[in-house]
Amino acid sequence: MKDIQQAIKDILNKESKQPEEVLTLTLDSACKSTHITGLDAFVNLKSLSLAGLGLTTLDGFPKLPQLVRLNLSDNRITGGLRHLVDAGLTNLRTLELANNRIATVEELAPLKEFKALQCLDVDQCPLSKQSNYSSRIFAMLDELKYLDSVDKEGRERDGDEEEEDFEEEDAGEEEYDDGAGEEEFEDEEGGEFEEGPDAVGEDEEGDYQEEGEGDDDEGEEEDEAAAVAPASGGTKRKREEEEEEEGDDEDEE
């Protein structure tokens, strides 16, 4: 089994990233180590999962000021949470310590300094077998909303709630930088202006012109008919006069 540093190197090579570019790092069961090393350069990390590594101590935990979620489940940690405080995890909101060897509520006392901490998981730790451990932890950690996925009133927490909040936070930052919404709004305004009540479409204008041309053609036909009618009448009268003259000539003979 590889160590932490080799596992980290493999991930960076696979993703073609530098440590400071990584926001989420998951090493669950990918390596084995009793302590944490090789993470100091991940200064922008927001989510770190080190479940099932066999950790026994948090001594030397790296300073990760942007860290929001930390998963240390399924290890052999007995205490030493003060090392997390010394690391300056001021933005930590979710801490998972399930299935470790934390035996008393007092060992969680350093977490009082995490004012942003909202979700804590100590399920399957020895202290979770105590009948009143939940009420004592809530009393000690004023800002805590969920303990082992349950709030103070015993209502279960949606398992996807924290994941959705984390994704929305990143999506919000991308949309803010994108500015696409403003462009779309401008396009819509332009479309509405062009399609106003005073605008004349190409098809409508074409129809209007065709109708006008049709009227002109009809007028010309009427004029031609009027011109032909008198000509026809004059020819008829001329013939009648010629016939009358021929009749007069015959009588005189």
Short mmCIF file of all heavy atoms in Angstrom, two decimals, residues 65-87:
data_model
loop_
_atom_site.label_atom_id
_atom_site.label_comp_id
_atom_site.label_asym_id
_atom_site.label_seq_id
_atom_site.Cartn_x
_atom_site.Cartn_y
_atom_site.Cartn_z
N PRO A 65 -6.65 27.30 5.52
CA PRO A 65 -7.60 28.34 5.95
C PRO A 65 -8.94 28.32 5.20
O PRO A 65 -9.92 28.87 5.70
CB PRO A 65 -6.84 29.64 5.68
CG PRO A 65 -5.84 29.30 4.62
CD PRO A 65 -5.44 27.89 4.91
N GLN A 66 -8.99 27.72 3.99
CA GLN A 66 -10.22 27.70 3.21
C GLN A 66 -11.05 26.44 3.43
O GLN A 66 -12.14 26.32 2.86
CB GLN A 66 -9.89 27.81 1.71
CG GLN A 66 -9.04 29.01 1.33
CD GLN A 66 -9.71 30.33 1.67
OE1 GLN A 66 -10.93 30.45 1.56
NE2 GLN A 66 -8.92 31.31 2.09
N LEU A 67 -10.57 25.53 4.25
CA LEU A 67 -11.23 24.24 4.41
C LEU A 67 -12.62 24.38 5.03
O LEU A 67 -12.79 25.02 6.07
CB LEU A 67 -10.37 23.32 5.27
CG LEU A 67 -10.71 21.82 5.19
CD1 LEU A 67 -10.43 21.28 3.79
CD2 LEU A 67 -9.90 21.04 6.22
N VAL A 68 -13.60 23.75 4.36
CA VAL A 68 -14.99 23.80 4.81
C VAL A 68 -15.44 22.44 5.35
O VAL A 68 -16.19 22.38 6.32
CB VAL A 68 -15.91 24.23 3.64
CG1 VAL A 68 -17.38 24.13 4.04
CG2 VAL A 68 -15.58 25.63 3.19
N ARG A 69 -14.96 21.36 4.74
CA ARG A 69 -15.36 20.01 5.17
C ARG A 69 -14.12 19.15 5.40
O ARG A 69 -13.19 19.16 4.59
CB ARG A 69 -16.25 19.35 4.11
CG ARG A 69 -17.55 20.09 3.86
CD ARG A 69 -18.44 19.30 2.92
NE ARG A 69 -17.77 18.99 1.67
CZ ARG A 69 -18.29 18.23 0.72
NH1 ARG A 69 -19.47 17.68 0.89
NH2 ARG A 69 -17.63 18.00 -0.39
N LEU A 70 -14.16 18.39 6.47
CA LEU A 70 -13.05 17.49 6.80
C LEU A 70 -13.63 16.15 7.24
O LEU A 70 -14.41 16.08 8.20
CB LEU A 70 -12.19 18.09 7.91
CG LEU A 70 -11.04 17.21 8.43
CD1 LEU A 70 -10.07 16.85 7.31
CD2 LEU A 70 -10.30 17.90 9.57
N ASN A 71 -13.24 15.11 6.54
CA ASN A 71 -13.71 13.76 6.86
C ASN A 71 -12.54 12.94 7.39
O ASN A 71 -11.60 12.62 6.64
CB ASN A 71 -14.31 13.10 5.62
CG ASN A 71 -14.91 11.73 5.93
OD1 ASN A 71 -14.90 11.28 7.08
ND2 ASN A 71 -15.43 11.06 4.92
N LEU A 72 -12.61 12.57 8.66
CA LEU A 72 -11.58 11.75 9.31
C LEU A 72 -12.18 10.44 9.82
O LEU A 72 -11.60 9.80 10.72
CB LEU A 72 -10.95 12.53 10.48
CG LEU A 72 -10.19 13.82 10.10
CD1 LEU A 72 -9.83 14.60 11.36
CD2 LEU A 72 -8.94 13.48 9.30
N SER A 73 -13.26 10.00 9.24
CA SER A 73 -13.95 8.80 9.71
C SER A 73 -13.11 7.54 9.49
O SER A 73 -12.19 7.51 8.67
CB SER A 73 -15.28 8.64 8.96
OG SER A 73 -16.12 9.75 9.18
N ASP A 74 -13.44 6.51 10.27
CA ASP A 74 -12.86 5.17 10.11
C ASP A 74 -11.34 5.16 10.29
O ASP A 74 -10.60 4.50 9.54
CB ASP A 74 -13.22 4.58 8.74
CG ASP A 74 -14.72 4.50 8.53
OD1 ASP A 74 -15.44 4.19 9.49
OD2 ASP A 74 -15.17 4.77 7.39
N ASN A 75 -10.87 5.93 11.28
CA ASN A 75 -9.45 5.91 11.64
C ASN A 75 -9.31 5.44 13.09
O ASN A 75 -10.27 4.89 13.67
CB ASN A 75 -8.83 7.29 11.42
CG ASN A 75 -8.59 7.59 9.94
OD1 ASN A 75 -7.75 6.96 9.30
ND2 ASN A 75 -9.34 8.54 9.40
N ARG A 76 -8.16 5.70 13.70
CA ARG A 76 -7.92 5.26 15.09
C ARG A 76 -7.53 6.44 15.97
O ARG A 76 -6.72 6.33 16.88
CB ARG A 76 -6.83 4.20 15.11
CG ARG A 76 -7.23 2.90 14.42
CD ARG A 76 -6.11 1.88 14.45
NE ARG A 76 -4.99 2.29 13.58
CZ ARG A 76 -3.80 1.70 13.58
NH1 ARG A 76 -3.56 0.68 14.40
NH2 ARG A 76 -2.85 2.12 12.76
N ILE A 77 -8.18 7.58 15.69
CA ILE A 77 -7.88 8.81 16.42
C ILE A 77 -8.52 8.75 17.81
O ILE A 77 -9.71 8.46 17.95
CB ILE A 77 -8.41 10.03 15.64
CG1 ILE A 77 -7.72 10.10 14.26
CG2 ILE A 77 -8.19 11.31 16.41
CD1 ILE A 77 -8.35 11.11 13.32
N THR A 78 -7.74 9.04 18.82
CA THR A 78 -8.25 8.99 20.20
C THR A 78 -8.51 10.38 20.78
O THR A 78 -9.20 10.52 21.80
CB THR A 78 -7.24 8.28 21.11
OG1 THR A 78 -5.98 8.96 21.05
CG2 THR A 78 -7.06 6.83 20.68
N GLY A 79 -7.98 11.39 20.16
CA GLY A 79 -8.12 12.77 20.66
C GLY A 79 -7.20 13.68 19.87
O GLY A 79 -6.99 13.49 18.67
N GLY A 80 -6.67 14.70 20.59
CA GLY A 80 -5.74 15.62 19.94
C GLY A 80 -6.40 16.57 18.95
O GLY A 80 -5.76 17.04 17.99
N LEU A 81 -7.68 16.91 19.17
CA LEU A 81 -8.37 17.81 18.27
C LEU A 81 -7.84 19.25 18.35
O LEU A 81 -8.13 20.06 17.47
CB LEU A 81 -9.87 17.79 18.56
CG LEU A 81 -10.57 16.44 18.37
CD1 LEU A 81 -12.05 16.54 18.69
CD2 LEU A 81 -10.36 15.91 16.96
N ARG A 82 -7.02 19.52 19.36
CA ARG A 82 -6.39 20.82 19.47
C ARG A 82 -5.51 21.11 18.24
O ARG A 82 -5.36 22.27 17.85
CB ARG A 82 -5.56 20.86 20.75
CG ARG A 82 -4.59 22.02 20.88
CD ARG A 82 -5.25 23.37 20.81
NE ARG A 82 -6.27 23.55 21.83
CZ ARG A 82 -6.97 24.66 21.98
NH1 ARG A 82 -6.78 25.66 21.13
NH2 ARG A 82 -7.88 24.77 22.91
N HIS A 83 -4.99 20.08 17.62
CA HIS A 83 -4.15 20.28 16.43
C HIS A 83 -4.95 20.88 15.27
O HIS A 83 -4.38 21.61 14.44
CB HIS A 83 -3.53 18.95 16.00
CG HIS A 83 -2.59 18.36 17.01
ND1 HIS A 83 -1.46 19.02 17.44
CD2 HIS A 83 -2.62 17.18 17.68
CE1 HIS A 83 -0.81 18.27 18.32
NE2 HIS A 83 -1.51 17.14 18.48
N LEU A 84 -6.23 20.60 15.21
CA LEU A 84 -7.08 21.19 14.18
C LEU A 84 -7.26 22.68 14.43
O LEU A 84 -7.29 23.49 13.49
CB LEU A 84 -8.44 20.49 14.14
CG LEU A 84 -8.44 18.99 13.81
CD1 LEU A 84 -9.88 18.46 13.79
CD2 LEU A 84 -7.76 18.71 12.48
N VAL A 85 -7.38 23.04 15.71
CA VAL A 85 -7.50 24.46 16.06
C VAL A 85 -6.22 25.20 15.72
O VAL A 85 -6.25 26.30 15.15
CB VAL A 85 -7.83 24.61 17.56
CG1 VAL A 85 -7.89 26.10 17.94
CG2 VAL A 85 -9.15 23.92 17.89
N ASP A 86 -5.08 24.59 16.04
CA ASP A 86 -3.78 25.21 15.74
C ASP A 86 -3.57 25.39 14.23
O ASP A 86 -2.80 26.26 13.81
CB ASP A 86 -2.65 24.37 16.32
CG ASP A 86 -2.69 24.32 17.84
OD1 ASP A 86 -3.33 25.22 18.44
OD2 ASP A 86 -2.12 23.37 18.43
N ALA A 87 -4.25 24.59 13.43
CA ALA A 87 -4.12 24.68 11.97
C ALA A 87 -4.92 25.85 11.40
O ALA A 87 -4.80 26.14 10.20
CB ALA A 87 -4.56 23.37 11.33
#
